[in-house]
mmCIF file of all heavy atoms in Angstrom:
data_model
loop_
_atom_site.group_PDB
_atom_site.id
_atom_site.type_symbol
_atom_site.label_atom_id
_atom_site.label_comp_id
_atom_site.label_asym_id
_atom_site.label_seq_id
_atom_site.Cartn_x
_atom_site.Cartn_y
_atom_site.Cartn_z
ATOM 1 N N ILE A 263 112.856 -22.645 -72.137
ATOM 2 C CA ILE A 263 111.656 -23.258 -72.692
ATOM 3 C C ILE A 263 111.180 -22.507 -73.928
ATOM 4 O O ILE A 263 110.611 -23.102 -74.850
ATOM 5 C CB ILE A 263 110.535 -23.326 -71.630
ATOM 6 C CG1 ILE A 263 109.381 -24.221 -72.108
ATOM 7 C CG2 ILE A 263 110.018 -21.945 -71.300
ATOM 8 C CD1 ILE A 263 109.713 -25.665 -72.195
ATOM 9 N N ASP A 264 111.425 -21.212 -73.983
ATOM 10 C CA ASP A 264 110.983 -20.428 -75.136
ATOM 11 C C ASP A 264 111.655 -20.880 -76.424
ATOM 12 O O ASP A 264 111.082 -20.784 -77.507
ATOM 13 C CB ASP A 264 111.267 -18.940 -74.898
ATOM 14 C CG ASP A 264 110.407 -18.361 -73.787
ATOM 15 O OD1 ASP A 264 109.306 -18.904 -73.571
ATOM 16 O OD2 ASP A 264 110.840 -17.392 -73.134
ATOM 17 N N ARG A 265 112.875 -21.374 -76.319
ATOM 18 C CA ARG A 265 113.568 -21.859 -77.514
ATOM 19 C C ARG A 265 112.885 -23.099 -78.079
ATOM 20 O O ARG A 265 112.934 -23.344 -79.279
ATOM 21 C CB ARG A 265 115.032 -22.181 -77.175
ATOM 22 C CG ARG A 265 115.842 -20.955 -76.820
ATOM 23 C CD ARG A 265 117.321 -21.249 -76.833
ATOM 24 N NE ARG A 265 117.684 -22.271 -75.866
ATOM 25 C CZ ARG A 265 118.912 -22.790 -75.757
ATOM 26 N NH1 ARG A 265 119.865 -22.399 -76.569
ATOM 27 N NH2 ARG A 265 119.182 -23.693 -74.843
ATOM 28 N N PHE A 266 112.253 -23.859 -77.207
ATOM 29 C CA PHE A 266 111.525 -25.033 -77.684
ATOM 30 C C PHE A 266 110.202 -24.622 -78.334
ATOM 31 O O PHE A 266 109.830 -25.131 -79.382
ATOM 32 C CB PHE A 266 111.259 -25.994 -76.517
ATOM 33 C CG PHE A 266 112.487 -26.653 -75.982
ATOM 34 C CD1 PHE A 266 113.225 -26.065 -74.972
ATOM 35 C CD2 PHE A 266 112.908 -27.872 -76.480
ATOM 36 C CE1 PHE A 266 114.360 -26.660 -74.474
ATOM 37 C CE2 PHE A 266 114.044 -28.486 -75.987
ATOM 38 C CZ PHE A 266 114.778 -27.870 -74.975
ATOM 39 N N VAL A 267 109.503 -23.719 -77.679
ATOM 40 C CA VAL A 267 108.197 -23.295 -78.177
ATOM 41 C C VAL A 267 108.316 -22.658 -79.561
ATOM 42 O O VAL A 267 107.444 -22.832 -80.416
ATOM 43 C CB VAL A 267 107.534 -22.325 -77.175
ATOM 44 C CG1 VAL A 267 106.241 -21.752 -77.747
ATOM 45 C CG2 VAL A 267 107.249 -23.040 -75.864
ATOM 46 N N GLU A 268 109.399 -21.924 -79.796
ATOM 47 C CA GLU A 268 109.578 -21.209 -81.056
ATOM 48 C C GLU A 268 110.238 -22.060 -82.134
ATOM 49 O O GLU A 268 110.385 -21.617 -83.278
ATOM 50 C CB GLU A 268 110.431 -19.958 -80.807
ATOM 51 C CG GLU A 268 109.765 -18.947 -79.881
ATOM 52 C CD GLU A 268 110.724 -17.873 -79.409
ATOM 53 O OE1 GLU A 268 111.901 -17.909 -79.836
ATOM 54 O OE2 GLU A 268 110.306 -17.017 -78.612
ATOM 55 N N ALA A 269 110.621 -23.285 -81.807
ATOM 56 C CA ALA A 269 111.380 -24.119 -82.744
ATOM 57 C C ALA A 269 110.471 -24.793 -83.771
ATOM 58 O O ALA A 269 109.257 -24.935 -83.578
ATOM 59 C CB ALA A 269 112.157 -25.184 -81.981
ATOM 60 N N ASP A 270 111.082 -25.212 -84.859
ATOM 61 C CA ASP A 270 110.379 -25.942 -85.920
ATOM 62 C C ASP A 270 110.792 -27.407 -85.842
ATOM 63 O O ASP A 270 111.683 -27.860 -86.552
ATOM 64 C CB ASP A 270 110.739 -25.356 -87.288
ATOM 65 C CG ASP A 270 110.003 -26.069 -88.427
ATOM 66 O OD1 ASP A 270 108.961 -26.685 -88.152
ATOM 67 O OD2 ASP A 270 110.496 -26.003 -89.566
ATOM 68 N N ILE A 271 110.154 -28.144 -84.913
ATOM 69 C CA ILE A 271 110.449 -29.568 -84.731
ATOM 70 C C ILE A 271 109.142 -30.349 -84.662
ATOM 71 O O ILE A 271 108.060 -29.761 -84.617
ATOM 72 C CB ILE A 271 111.275 -29.828 -83.447
ATOM 73 C CG1 ILE A 271 110.474 -29.414 -82.196
ATOM 74 C CG2 ILE A 271 112.617 -29.112 -83.499
ATOM 75 C CD1 ILE A 271 111.125 -29.826 -80.899
ATOM 76 N N ASP A 272 109.242 -31.662 -84.627
ATOM 77 C CA ASP A 272 108.074 -32.539 -84.577
ATOM 78 C C ASP A 272 107.623 -32.687 -83.123
ATOM 79 O O ASP A 272 108.120 -33.541 -82.387
ATOM 80 C CB ASP A 272 108.434 -33.903 -85.173
ATOM 81 C CG ASP A 272 107.224 -34.803 -85.352
ATOM 82 O OD1 ASP A 272 106.213 -34.591 -84.645
ATOM 83 O OD2 ASP A 272 107.282 -35.724 -86.181
ATOM 84 N N PHE A 273 106.693 -31.848 -82.717
ATOM 85 C CA PHE A 273 106.272 -31.846 -81.318
ATOM 86 C C PHE A 273 105.475 -33.091 -80.939
ATOM 87 O O PHE A 273 105.516 -33.540 -79.799
ATOM 88 C CB PHE A 273 105.469 -30.573 -81.011
ATOM 89 C CG PHE A 273 106.320 -29.345 -80.944
ATOM 90 C CD1 PHE A 273 106.466 -28.530 -82.057
ATOM 91 C CD2 PHE A 273 107.009 -29.019 -79.791
ATOM 92 C CE1 PHE A 273 107.280 -27.404 -82.012
ATOM 93 C CE2 PHE A 273 107.823 -27.903 -79.734
ATOM 94 C CZ PHE A 273 107.961 -27.092 -80.845
ATOM 95 N N LYS A 274 104.745 -33.638 -81.898
ATOM 96 C CA LYS A 274 104.017 -34.878 -81.604
ATOM 97 C C LYS A 274 104.982 -36.013 -81.309
ATOM 98 O O LYS A 274 104.766 -36.816 -80.399
ATOM 99 C CB LYS A 274 103.096 -35.243 -82.774
ATOM 100 C CG LYS A 274 101.831 -34.400 -82.841
ATOM 101 C CD LYS A 274 100.835 -34.954 -83.852
ATOM 102 C CE LYS A 274 99.530 -34.170 -83.818
ATOM 103 N NZ LYS A 274 98.528 -34.707 -84.794
ATOM 104 N N LEU A 275 106.052 -36.086 -82.081
ATOM 105 C CA LEU A 275 107.061 -37.119 -81.857
ATOM 106 C C LEU A 275 107.744 -36.915 -80.504
ATOM 107 O O LEU A 275 108.024 -37.877 -79.784
ATOM 108 C CB LEU A 275 108.100 -37.091 -82.978
ATOM 109 C CG LEU A 275 109.203 -38.156 -82.905
ATOM 110 C CD1 LEU A 275 108.611 -39.556 -82.965
ATOM 111 C CD2 LEU A 275 110.213 -37.952 -84.039
ATOM 112 N N PHE A 276 107.998 -35.664 -80.159
ATOM 113 C CA PHE A 276 108.609 -35.343 -78.870
ATOM 114 C C PHE A 276 107.713 -35.840 -77.736
ATOM 115 O O PHE A 276 108.163 -36.531 -76.813
ATOM 116 C CB PHE A 276 108.810 -33.828 -78.760
ATOM 117 C CG PHE A 276 109.874 -33.411 -77.780
ATOM 118 C CD1 PHE A 276 110.638 -32.284 -78.023
ATOM 119 C CD2 PHE A 276 110.118 -34.132 -76.626
ATOM 120 C CE1 PHE A 276 111.635 -31.888 -77.140
ATOM 121 C CE2 PHE A 276 111.099 -33.747 -75.729
ATOM 122 C CZ PHE A 276 111.853 -32.616 -75.983
ATOM 123 N N HIS A 277 106.425 -35.501 -77.819
ATOM 124 C CA HIS A 277 105.485 -35.874 -76.766
ATOM 125 C C HIS A 277 105.314 -37.387 -76.701
ATOM 126 O O HIS A 277 105.253 -37.971 -75.614
ATOM 127 C CB HIS A 277 104.142 -35.191 -77.001
ATOM 128 C CG HIS A 277 103.260 -35.172 -75.786
ATOM 129 N ND1 HIS A 277 102.479 -36.243 -75.421
ATOM 130 C CD2 HIS A 277 103.081 -34.226 -74.825
ATOM 131 C CE1 HIS A 277 101.817 -35.943 -74.310
ATOM 132 N NE2 HIS A 277 102.166 -34.736 -73.937
ATOM 133 N N GLU A 278 105.253 -38.026 -77.844
ATOM 134 C CA GLU A 278 105.108 -39.480 -77.887
ATOM 135 C C GLU A 278 106.311 -40.167 -77.237
ATOM 136 O O GLU A 278 106.158 -41.107 -76.452
ATOM 137 C CB GLU A 278 104.972 -39.944 -79.339
ATOM 138 C CG GLU A 278 104.883 -41.443 -79.515
ATOM 139 C CD GLU A 278 104.873 -41.847 -80.982
ATOM 140 O OE1 GLU A 278 104.274 -41.111 -81.791
ATOM 141 O OE2 GLU A 278 105.487 -42.879 -81.314
ATOM 142 N N SER A 279 107.511 -39.691 -77.555
ATOM 143 C CA SER A 279 108.729 -40.266 -76.973
ATOM 144 C C SER A 279 108.730 -40.084 -75.463
ATOM 145 O O SER A 279 109.029 -41.014 -74.702
ATOM 146 C CB SER A 279 109.972 -39.603 -77.582
ATOM 147 O OG SER A 279 110.027 -39.803 -78.981
ATOM 148 N N LEU A 280 108.383 -38.878 -75.034
ATOM 149 C CA LEU A 280 108.368 -38.561 -73.614
ATOM 150 C C LEU A 280 107.370 -39.441 -72.865
ATOM 151 O O LEU A 280 107.673 -39.998 -71.797
ATOM 152 C CB LEU A 280 108.009 -37.092 -73.440
ATOM 153 C CG LEU A 280 108.486 -36.355 -72.187
ATOM 154 C CD1 LEU A 280 109.973 -36.497 -72.001
ATOM 155 C CD2 LEU A 280 108.081 -34.894 -72.268
ATOM 156 N N LEU A 281 106.186 -39.598 -73.419
ATOM 157 C CA LEU A 281 105.148 -40.379 -72.767
ATOM 158 C C LEU A 281 105.522 -41.858 -72.687
ATOM 159 O O LEU A 281 105.264 -42.522 -71.673
ATOM 160 C CB LEU A 281 103.822 -40.221 -73.519
ATOM 161 C CG LEU A 281 102.571 -40.776 -72.833
ATOM 162 C CD1 LEU A 281 102.420 -40.227 -71.424
ATOM 163 C CD2 LEU A 281 101.336 -40.461 -73.653
ATOM 164 N N ASN A 282 106.153 -42.388 -73.724
ATOM 165 C CA ASN A 282 106.583 -43.793 -73.697
ATOM 166 C C ASN A 282 107.642 -44.031 -72.626
ATOM 167 O O ASN A 282 107.631 -45.066 -71.944
ATOM 168 C CB ASN A 282 107.130 -44.204 -75.065
ATOM 169 C CG ASN A 282 106.044 -44.390 -76.097
ATOM 170 O OD1 ASN A 282 104.871 -44.540 -75.769
ATOM 171 N ND2 ASN A 282 106.420 -44.360 -77.366
ATOM 172 N N ILE A 283 108.566 -43.082 -72.485
ATOM 173 C CA ILE A 283 109.603 -43.201 -71.460
ATOM 174 C C ILE A 283 108.981 -43.160 -70.069
ATOM 175 O O ILE A 283 109.313 -43.963 -69.193
ATOM 176 C CB ILE A 283 110.645 -42.070 -71.621
ATOM 177 C CG1 ILE A 283 111.401 -42.210 -72.936
ATOM 178 C CG2 ILE A 283 111.628 -42.070 -70.442
ATOM 179 C CD1 ILE A 283 112.190 -40.962 -73.332
ATOM 180 N N VAL A 284 108.058 -42.230 -69.875
ATOM 181 C CA VAL A 284 107.363 -42.102 -68.593
ATOM 182 C C VAL A 284 106.628 -43.390 -68.254
ATOM 183 O O VAL A 284 106.726 -43.914 -67.135
ATOM 184 C CB VAL A 284 106.377 -40.915 -68.637
ATOM 185 C CG1 VAL A 284 105.355 -41.005 -67.511
ATOM 186 C CG2 VAL A 284 107.131 -39.593 -68.557
ATOM 187 N N SER A 285 105.882 -43.924 -69.208
ATOM 188 C CA SER A 285 105.110 -45.144 -68.975
ATOM 189 C C SER A 285 106.020 -46.312 -68.614
ATOM 190 O O SER A 285 105.721 -47.107 -67.716
ATOM 191 C CB SER A 285 104.279 -45.479 -70.217
ATOM 192 O OG SER A 285 103.484 -46.618 -69.990
ATOM 193 N N TYR A 286 107.147 -46.406 -69.298
ATOM 194 C CA TYR A 286 108.091 -47.491 -69.044
ATOM 195 C C TYR A 286 108.667 -47.398 -67.623
ATOM 196 O O TYR A 286 108.662 -48.378 -66.868
ATOM 197 C CB TYR A 286 109.220 -47.441 -70.073
ATOM 198 C CG TYR A 286 110.283 -48.493 -69.872
ATOM 199 C CD1 TYR A 286 110.171 -49.752 -70.454
ATOM 200 C CD2 TYR A 286 111.405 -48.233 -69.094
ATOM 201 C CE1 TYR A 286 111.137 -50.722 -70.264
ATOM 202 C CE2 TYR A 286 112.375 -49.192 -68.897
ATOM 203 C CZ TYR A 286 112.240 -50.440 -69.484
ATOM 204 O OH TYR A 286 113.201 -51.395 -69.271
ATOM 205 N N LEU A 287 109.161 -46.221 -67.259
ATOM 206 C CA LEU A 287 109.770 -46.063 -65.936
ATOM 207 C C LEU A 287 108.741 -46.239 -64.825
ATOM 208 O O LEU A 287 109.028 -46.856 -63.791
ATOM 209 C CB LEU A 287 110.428 -44.687 -65.835
ATOM 210 C CG LEU A 287 111.750 -44.539 -66.594
ATOM 211 C CD1 LEU A 287 112.153 -43.075 -66.682
ATOM 212 C CD2 LEU A 287 112.847 -45.343 -65.924
ATOM 213 N N ASN A 288 107.548 -45.716 -65.029
ATOM 214 C CA ASN A 288 106.510 -45.892 -64.019
ATOM 215 C C ASN A 288 106.141 -47.360 -63.851
ATOM 216 O O ASN A 288 105.892 -47.825 -62.737
ATOM 217 C CB ASN A 288 105.282 -45.052 -64.365
ATOM 218 C CG ASN A 288 105.499 -43.566 -64.076
ATOM 219 O OD1 ASN A 288 106.512 -43.181 -63.491
ATOM 220 N ND2 ASN A 288 104.554 -42.737 -64.482
ATOM 221 N N ALA A 289 106.131 -48.120 -64.945
ATOM 222 C CA ALA A 289 105.842 -49.555 -64.858
ATOM 223 C C ALA A 289 106.906 -50.287 -64.049
ATOM 224 O O ALA A 289 106.601 -51.196 -63.269
ATOM 225 C CB ALA A 289 105.738 -50.152 -66.260
ATOM 226 N N VAL A 290 108.164 -49.893 -64.240
ATOM 227 C CA VAL A 290 109.256 -50.508 -63.473
ATOM 228 C C VAL A 290 109.056 -50.258 -61.984
ATOM 229 O O VAL A 290 109.138 -51.172 -61.153
ATOM 230 C CB VAL A 290 110.629 -49.967 -63.929
ATOM 231 C CG1 VAL A 290 111.735 -50.410 -62.977
ATOM 232 C CG2 VAL A 290 110.942 -50.440 -65.343
ATOM 233 N N HIS A 291 108.776 -49.018 -61.626
ATOM 234 C CA HIS A 291 108.617 -48.673 -60.214
ATOM 235 C C HIS A 291 107.358 -49.306 -59.623
ATOM 236 O O HIS A 291 107.368 -49.740 -58.465
ATOM 237 C CB HIS A 291 108.591 -47.156 -60.050
ATOM 238 C CG HIS A 291 109.896 -46.505 -60.406
ATOM 239 N ND1 HIS A 291 109.982 -45.278 -61.033
ATOM 240 C CD2 HIS A 291 111.180 -46.935 -60.255
ATOM 241 C CE1 HIS A 291 111.252 -44.976 -61.223
ATOM 242 N NE2 HIS A 291 111.997 -45.961 -60.768
ATOM 243 N N GLU A 292 106.294 -49.369 -60.404
ATOM 244 C CA GLU A 292 105.072 -50.033 -59.932
ATOM 245 C C GLU A 292 105.333 -51.510 -59.650
ATOM 246 O O GLU A 292 104.829 -52.067 -58.666
ATOM 247 C CB GLU A 292 103.966 -49.875 -60.986
ATOM 248 C CG GLU A 292 103.435 -48.457 -61.111
ATOM 249 C CD GLU A 292 102.789 -48.170 -62.457
ATOM 250 O OE1 GLU A 292 102.507 -49.134 -63.210
ATOM 251 O OE2 GLU A 292 102.586 -46.981 -62.772
ATOM 252 N N SER A 293 106.132 -52.138 -60.503
ATOM 253 C CA SER A 293 106.450 -53.558 -60.318
ATOM 254 C C SER A 293 107.244 -53.778 -59.039
ATOM 255 O O SER A 293 107.013 -54.765 -58.308
ATOM 256 C CB SER A 293 107.237 -54.079 -61.523
ATOM 257 O OG SER A 293 106.487 -53.962 -62.710
ATOM 258 N N TYR A 294 108.167 -52.878 -58.753
ATOM 259 C CA TYR A 294 108.945 -52.993 -57.516
ATOM 260 C C TYR A 294 108.055 -52.799 -56.286
ATOM 261 O O TYR A 294 108.225 -53.489 -55.270
ATOM 262 C CB TYR A 294 110.087 -51.982 -57.510
ATOM 263 C CG TYR A 294 111.391 -52.552 -58.013
ATOM 264 C CD1 TYR A 294 111.924 -52.152 -59.231
ATOM 265 C CD2 TYR A 294 112.100 -53.500 -57.260
ATOM 266 C CE1 TYR A 294 113.127 -52.677 -59.703
ATOM 267 C CE2 TYR A 294 113.289 -54.033 -57.724
ATOM 268 C CZ TYR A 294 113.803 -53.627 -58.940
ATOM 269 O OH TYR A 294 114.982 -54.163 -59.401
ATOM 270 N N VAL A 295 107.117 -51.857 -56.368
ATOM 271 C CA VAL A 295 106.190 -51.670 -55.250
ATOM 272 C C VAL A 295 105.345 -52.922 -55.053
ATOM 273 O O VAL A 295 105.143 -53.383 -53.917
ATOM 274 C CB VAL A 295 105.296 -50.437 -55.488
ATOM 275 C CG1 VAL A 295 104.178 -50.376 -54.447
ATOM 276 C CG2 VAL A 295 106.122 -49.153 -55.447
ATOM 277 N N ALA A 296 104.854 -53.498 -56.157
ATOM 278 C CA ALA A 296 104.052 -54.727 -56.064
ATOM 279 C C ALA A 296 104.869 -55.864 -55.461
ATOM 280 O O ALA A 296 104.353 -56.661 -54.672
ATOM 281 C CB ALA A 296 103.538 -55.116 -57.454
ATOM 282 N N GLN A 297 106.129 -55.943 -55.815
ATOM 283 C CA GLN A 297 107.005 -56.971 -55.251
ATOM 284 C C GLN A 297 107.193 -56.761 -53.750
ATOM 285 O O GLN A 297 107.235 -57.715 -52.973
ATOM 286 C CB GLN A 297 108.362 -56.945 -55.965
ATOM 287 C CG GLN A 297 109.418 -57.884 -55.397
ATOM 288 C CD GLN A 297 109.212 -59.330 -55.819
ATOM 289 O OE1 GLN A 297 108.081 -59.759 -56.068
ATOM 290 N NE2 GLN A 297 110.291 -60.086 -55.882
ATOM 291 N N ALA A 298 107.262 -55.501 -53.337
ATOM 292 C CA ALA A 298 107.515 -55.182 -51.929
ATOM 293 C C ALA A 298 106.289 -55.395 -51.048
ATOM 294 O O ALA A 298 106.395 -55.928 -49.944
ATOM 295 C CB ALA A 298 108.005 -53.745 -51.805
ATOM 296 N N ILE A 299 105.128 -54.973 -51.544
ATOM 297 C CA ILE A 299 103.921 -55.030 -50.698
ATOM 298 C C ILE A 299 103.070 -56.257 -50.991
ATOM 299 O O ILE A 299 102.128 -56.546 -50.257
ATOM 300 C CB ILE A 299 103.059 -53.758 -50.865
ATOM 301 C CG1 ILE A 299 102.410 -53.704 -52.249
ATOM 302 C CG2 ILE A 299 103.893 -52.518 -50.605
ATOM 303 C CD1 ILE A 299 101.476 -52.507 -52.445
ATOM 304 N N GLY A 300 103.388 -56.962 -52.077
ATOM 305 C CA GLY A 300 102.589 -58.122 -52.472
ATOM 306 C C GLY A 300 101.636 -57.737 -53.591
ATOM 307 O O GLY A 300 101.033 -56.656 -53.555
ATOM 308 N N ILE A 301 101.505 -58.602 -54.580
ATOM 309 C CA ILE A 301 100.682 -58.288 -55.737
ATOM 310 C C ILE A 301 99.217 -58.095 -55.353
ATOM 311 O O ILE A 301 98.519 -57.254 -55.923
ATOM 312 C CB ILE A 301 100.821 -59.381 -56.838
ATOM 313 C CG1 ILE A 301 100.042 -58.987 -58.094
ATOM 314 C CG2 ILE A 301 100.422 -60.740 -56.310
ATOM 315 C CD1 ILE A 301 100.496 -57.732 -58.763
ATOM 316 N N GLU A 302 98.745 -58.856 -54.349
ATOM 317 C CA GLU A 302 97.344 -58.720 -53.949
ATOM 318 C C GLU A 302 97.065 -57.334 -53.370
ATOM 319 O O GLU A 302 96.053 -56.692 -53.694
ATOM 320 C CB GLU A 302 96.956 -59.808 -52.931
ATOM 321 C CG GLU A 302 96.932 -61.217 -53.484
ATOM 322 C CD GLU A 302 98.317 -61.825 -53.603
ATOM 323 O OE1 GLU A 302 99.294 -61.206 -53.060
ATOM 324 O OE2 GLU A 302 98.462 -62.886 -54.227
ATOM 325 N N LYS A 303 97.965 -56.867 -52.516
ATOM 326 C CA LYS A 303 97.789 -55.536 -51.928
ATOM 327 C C LYS A 303 97.889 -54.460 -53.014
ATOM 328 O O LYS A 303 97.141 -53.477 -53.007
ATOM 329 C CB LYS A 303 98.861 -55.293 -50.860
ATOM 330 C CG LYS A 303 98.848 -53.914 -50.237
ATOM 331 C CD LYS A 303 97.536 -53.610 -49.528
ATOM 332 C CE LYS A 303 97.386 -54.434 -48.263
ATOM 333 N NZ LYS A 303 96.185 -54.044 -47.497
ATOM 334 N N TYR A 304 98.793 -54.665 -53.967
ATOM 335 C CA TYR A 304 98.931 -53.699 -55.060
ATOM 336 C C TYR A 304 97.644 -53.656 -55.895
ATOM 337 O O TYR A 304 97.177 -52.587 -56.289
ATOM 338 C CB TYR A 304 100.125 -54.067 -55.949
ATOM 339 C CG TYR A 304 100.332 -53.093 -57.091
ATOM 340 C CD1 TYR A 304 100.947 -51.869 -56.881
ATOM 341 C CD2 TYR A 304 99.880 -53.394 -58.379
ATOM 342 C CE1 TYR A 304 101.120 -50.964 -57.913
ATOM 343 C CE2 TYR A 304 100.052 -52.492 -59.418
ATOM 344 C CZ TYR A 304 100.668 -51.281 -59.179
ATOM 345 O OH TYR A 304 100.825 -50.389 -60.205
ATOM 346 N N GLN A 305 97.061 -54.812 -56.162
ATOM 347 C CA GLN A 305 95.797 -54.870 -56.903
ATOM 348 C C GLN A 305 94.694 -54.123 -56.162
ATOM 349 O O GLN A 305 93.856 -53.466 -56.784
ATOM 350 C CB GLN A 305 95.384 -56.327 -57.117
ATOM 351 C CG GLN A 305 96.260 -57.071 -58.117
ATOM 352 C CD GLN A 305 95.944 -58.557 -58.171
ATOM 353 O OE1 GLN A 305 96.812 -59.356 -58.476
ATOM 354 N NE2 GLN A 305 94.722 -58.942 -57.876
ATOM 355 N N GLU A 306 94.712 -54.207 -54.832
ATOM 356 C CA GLU A 306 93.705 -53.495 -54.050
ATOM 357 C C GLU A 306 93.853 -51.981 -54.221
ATOM 358 O O GLU A 306 92.858 -51.255 -54.316
ATOM 359 C CB GLU A 306 93.842 -53.856 -52.567
ATOM 360 C CG GLU A 306 93.422 -55.282 -52.225
ATOM 361 C CD GLU A 306 93.651 -55.592 -50.756
ATOM 362 O OE1 GLU A 306 93.851 -54.641 -49.960
ATOM 363 O OE2 GLU A 306 93.654 -56.790 -50.405
ATOM 364 N N ILE A 307 95.097 -51.515 -54.248
ATOM 365 C CA ILE A 307 95.337 -50.083 -54.441
ATOM 366 C C ILE A 307 94.787 -49.638 -55.787
ATOM 367 O O ILE A 307 94.118 -48.605 -55.900
ATOM 368 C CB ILE A 307 96.854 -49.777 -54.346
ATOM 369 C CG1 ILE A 307 97.354 -49.998 -52.917
ATOM 370 C CG2 ILE A 307 97.137 -48.338 -54.802
ATOM 371 C CD1 ILE A 307 98.862 -49.840 -52.767
ATOM 372 N N VAL A 308 95.053 -50.417 -56.824
ATOM 373 C CA VAL A 308 94.589 -50.075 -58.167
ATOM 374 C C VAL A 308 93.065 -50.162 -58.254
ATOM 375 O O VAL A 308 92.427 -49.343 -58.930
ATOM 376 C CB VAL A 308 95.244 -50.993 -59.219
ATOM 377 C CG1 VAL A 308 94.681 -50.725 -60.614
ATOM 378 C CG2 VAL A 308 96.769 -50.799 -59.222
#
Side-chain angles (χ1 to χ4, degrees):
I263 192 69
D264 292 333
R265 293 194 299 174
F266 291 89
V267 174
E268 296 168 2
D270 181 22
I271 63 171
D272 189 337
F273 287 95
K274 284 190 175 181
L275 182 61
F276 203 147
H277 197 278
E278 177 185 324
S279 299
L280 206 53
L281 190 53
N282 286 342
I283 295 166
V284 163
S285 183
Y286 178 89
L287 285 168
N288 285 353
V290 170
H291 294 144
E292 290 157 14
S293 299
Y294 265 110
V295 170
Q297 175 78 331
I299 69 177
I301 185 62
E302 292 79 10
K303 176 61 70 174
Y304 181 79
Q305 289 172 208
E306 290 177 15
I307 292 175
V308 175

